[in-house]
Amino acid sequence: MVDPSARGIPLAELTILASMLAGAVAGSVTGWLARRNVLLSICTFMIGIMGGMLMGTGMGRLFYGEANGYDLPPIKAGCTALCSTSLAGLAGSIPTAFVIAVLVGFLTLRHLHPRPPRVRTCLIGFTAGVVMGVLAAMVMTMV
């Protein structure tokens, strides 16, 4: 429950948004690099969004949970909030991008011969997801 008198950026919601974007990008990039198939990339994009919502909700509750019956107060938008919002973006995007990239990489590269290197494929997807999550958090700071 958010205090209605508070204005600004709620960090728990920002964590969910960054996590959803990180999961979507990590899933679609990993799916595309694994098989070069548009349909697989779209499916892994949707899986990444759903997984990102679940992981982001958990991370948002873990790091920015309730205190005295209210969520932590939202922070004011602007350049001064950049540090807090980038940490919220990292808190949501790192675990989500890792889990989605490894899951998609394991499932799609399991029966493919000759297959691209698993670690490289998952690492590229993970990096793309984390970068997108942090950039989304930074953009939301300025809006």
Side-chain angles (χ1 to χ4, degrees):
M1 173 181 228
V2 176
D3 184 16
S5 65
R7 300 264 181 209
I9 303 169
L11 292 177
E13 293 175 12
L14 185 68
T15 304
I16 295 171
L17 174 73
S19 182
M20 288 174 61
L21 285 173
V25 170
S28 63
V29 167
T30 307
W32 175 256
L33 291 175
R35 298 247 177 132
R36 304 272 197 257
N37 187 347
V38 174
L39 185 60
L40 177 69
S41 183
I42 292 171
C43 290
T44 55
F45 178 83
M46 298 303 278
I47 289 170
I49 289 175
M50 290 183 280
M53 183 179 285
L54 292 174
M55 294 279 294
T57 302
M59 297 308 280
R61 286 185 182 174
L62 178 69
F63 290 118
Y64 306 107
E66 292 186 6
N68 299 330
Y70 293 104
D71 289 344
L72 290 177
I75 59 171
K76 293 185 179 184
C79 292
T80 58
L82 198 57
C83 182
S84 298
T85 55
S86 60
L87 286 176
L90 284 172
S93 64
I94 287 177
T96 302
F98 179 75
V99 168
I100 297 297
V102 168
L103 181 69
V104 169
F106 176 75
L107 292 177
T108 57
L109 294 175
R110 201 165 82 183
H111 299 294
L112 190 64
H113 297 287
R115 67 176 140 217
R118 278 188 194 180
V119 174
R120 181 176 160 261
T121 303
C122 293
L123 189 62
I124 292 172
F126 168 74
T127 305
V130 170
V131 167
M132 185 55 141
V134 173
L135 283 177
M138 289 180 181
V139 166
M140 289 302 293
T141 303
M142 300 304 165
V143 173

